[in-house]
Amino acid sequence: MTSPSTQKIKIMGILLDRVDYDRALQKIEDFLKTGGPGVIVTPNAEIIMAARKNEKLKEAVNGADLCFPDGIGVVLAARIIGKSLYGRTAGFDLMTQMLDMAARRNLSVFLLGGKPGVAEEAAGSIKVKFPGIKIAGTHHGYFDENGEGQIIDMINKSGAHILLVAMGAPKQEIFMIKNRNKLHCSIAMGVGGSLDVLAGRVHRAPVFMQKAGLEWLYRLVTQPTRIKRMSVLPLFIIDVILDRLRQNKL
């Protein structure tokens, strides 16, 4: 589907919508009115770097209807190229605002992804935090390409208005774009590890660290195995600076 036009900026070949939470939610409202699914992705520095080597991921991210920039790294990159974003944004926060909207509007949600049992645990947490919300169905993310048809049928039969896909990049982005014409939901959003957080298996950083843009540091301290992934952030900033310098010379 074609989303309403918004101002976009490009960072290392990835097109990002320059929107705050309110404007993003307005676009989501438009998806609900016009049918769908409207595909929402939330690339961070790691995903943008991965897209440089993975053309399918790049095409999937740039083919989304709403590309909501996630993380302090992307915000810093935008400042470096002289096209600032609306402060730090987080896909998790956009997702929770959308769940709140779903509860108020009597919309149903399907949770897809995580290890077996995670989606069900997340569903229980969502029902507590957003009273009245309808969980249309759940399914783990451990299926191969041959099982996609069965999964899509399950989602469509559930009648879900919103599909949250928590399979991590690049799988979730490619899954949504590849199957957008087969899905009957109005919105499909990639949410990474958010179901693990909702299920209580992983914890977000304290609010003061989130506001200070230090959520990455909290993740590193609490999950030391992420150090290899976290090393992408300084490399990303360096590459953005070098790319800006090259552009200035042209």
Side-chain angles (χ1 to χ4, degrees), residues 47-97:
I47 291 175
I48 294 175
M49 288 288 279
R52 300 183 74 182
K53 299 179 181 180
N54 187 328
E55 190 63 29
K56 285 187 177 180
L57 173 59
K58 181 179 180 180
E59 289 177 357
V61 173
N62 283 341
D65 298 285
L66 175 59
C67 190
F68 191 74
D70 188 329
I72 190 64
V74 183
V75 174
L76 291 174
R79 291 176 184 169
I80 290 169
I81 66 174
K83 298 179 179 179
S84 62
L85 295 167
Y86 291 96
R88 182 192 177 275
T89 54
F92 186 91
D93 294 330
L94 177 63
M95 177 196 69
T96 55
Q97 291 191 44

Side-chain angles (χ1 to χ4, degrees), residues 13-30:
I14 295 298
L15 296 170
L16 302 164
D17 286 291
R18 191 171 178 271
V19 294
D20 57 14
Y21 291 110
D22 288 340
R23 293 180 66 191
L25 287 169
Q26 182 56 58
K27 291 193 71 173
I28 290 170
E29 291 273 6
D30 292 336

Side-chain angles (χ1 to χ4, degrees), residues 22-247:
D22 288 340
R23 293 180 66 191
L25 287 169
Q26 182 56 58
K27 291 193 71 173
I28 290 170
E29 291 273 6
D30 292 336
F31 297 152
L32 290 168
K33 294 174 184 176
T34 58
V39 175
I40 305 170
V41 296
T42 60
N44 56 16
E46 184 181 350
I47 291 175
I48 294 175
M49 288 288 279
R52 300 183 74 182
K53 299 179 181 180
N54 187 328
E55 190 63 29
K56 285 187 177 180
L57 173 59
K58 181 179 180 180
E59 289 177 357
V61 173
N62 283 341
D65 298 285
L66 175 59
C67 190
F68 191 74
D70 188 329
I72 190 64
V74 183
V75 174
L76 291 174
R79 291 176 184 169
I80 290 169
I81 66 174
K83 298 179 179 179
S84 62
L85 295 167
Y86 291 96
R88 182 192 177 275
T89 54
F92 186 91
D93 294 330
L94 177 63
M95 177 196 69
T96 55
Q97 291 191 44
M98 187 165 62
L99 288 172
D100 181 64
M101 179 188 72
R104 287 185 284 103
R105 295 191 52 178
N106 203 32
L107 303 175
S108 58
V109 181
F110 193 104
L111 307 179
L112 175 65
K115 295 179 180 179
V118 169
E120 289 78 11
E121 292 173 20
S125 175
I126 289 172
K127 289 177 181 178
V128 172
K129 293 179 180 178
F130 304 96
I133 197 168
K134 294 182 178 179
I135 301 298
T138 62
H139 197 280
H140 61 75
Y142 286 73
F143 58 90
D144 57 25
E145 192 172 349
N146 293 328
E148 283 187 2
Q150 184 178 354
I151 298 297
I152 292 168
D153 285 343
M154 183 186 303
I155 295 167
N156 290 340
K157 289 178 181 177
S158 77
H161 299 93
I162 298 170
L163 169 66
L164 299 182
V165 186
M167 300 192 296
K171 188 175 181 181
Q172 64 188 20
E173 289 81 10
I174 293 173
F175 173 85
M176 292 187 295
I177 292 296
K178 176 183 175 183
N179 297 299
R180 73 193 313 171
N181 293 326
K182 299 176 184 177
L183 291 165
H184 298 167
C185 53
S186 296
I187 299 163
M189 178 179 179
V191 297
S194 295
L195 295 190
D196 289 300
V197 176
L198 289 169
R201 298 197 181 192
V202 175
H203 298 285
R204 290 192 76 190
V207 174
F208 78 91
M209 294 189 76
Q210 294 179 36
K211 291 182 177 179
L214 296 174
E215 194 162 9
W216 62 270
L217 179 60
Y218 178 84
R219 290 176 182 171
L220 180 58
V221 171
T222 56
Q223 302 175 57
T225 54
R226 295 175 65 97
I227 188 167
K228 185 176 181 180
R229 292 175 59 181
M230 291 298 182
S231 66
V232 168
L233 182 56
L235 294 175
F236 170 70
I237 296 300
I238 291 171
D239 281 356
V240 170
I241 293 172
L242 293 175
D243 191 55
R244 175 66 187 273
L245 292 173
R246 283 193 293 267
Q247 292 296 325

